[in-house]
Amino acid sequence: MTEAPEVVRIPILPFGLVNAHLVVGATGAVLVDAGLPDTERAVEKALQSRGMSWHDIRLIVVTHAHIDHAGNAARLRALTGAPVCAHEGDAQHYRQREHMTFCATGTFG
Ligand SMILES: [Zn+2]
């Protein structure tokens, strides 16, 4: 029997303003959203809390091209070696032809 994956919330900003999520399965994890630039320590802490390291992330899914979801994707790709999956409709943002904007996803967002 296969166990259901565990979803670990990763606080990127305090008070639940911005979060990423780690979906942990038996053979690795999927990171859903990459957080703001320079917030990789929050992801690393979540990995360490489950006895995992950067290379246990098999895939990074970026839900949309706001900086609080996608801003650290390139850095996390370099740290993990995992591919980044995103919607092609946001490609102009990822190619830096259009600026990213910001949204908050928590209680106050
Ligand atoms: Zn957003």
Side-chain angles (χ1 to χ4, degrees), residues 44-97:
E44 188 174 35
K45 280 169 63 177
L47 287 168
Q48 289 171 343
S49 78
R50 297 304 186 277
M52 304 176 94
S53 64
W54 290 120
H55 294 288
D56 290 310
I57 294 180
R58 308 279 193 245
L59 176 68
I60 299 167
V61 177
V62 175
T63 57
H64 60 284
H66 280 163
I67 195 163
D68 50 322
H69 296 258
N72 214 25
R75 174 88 179 119
L76 289 171
R77 183 176 66 177
L79 287 166
T80 63
V84 177
C85 176
H87 193 280
E88 72 173 329
D90 289 336
Q92 291 295 89
H93 296 285
Y94 301 131
R95 292 186 182 117
Q96 300 183 341
R97 293 184 183 137

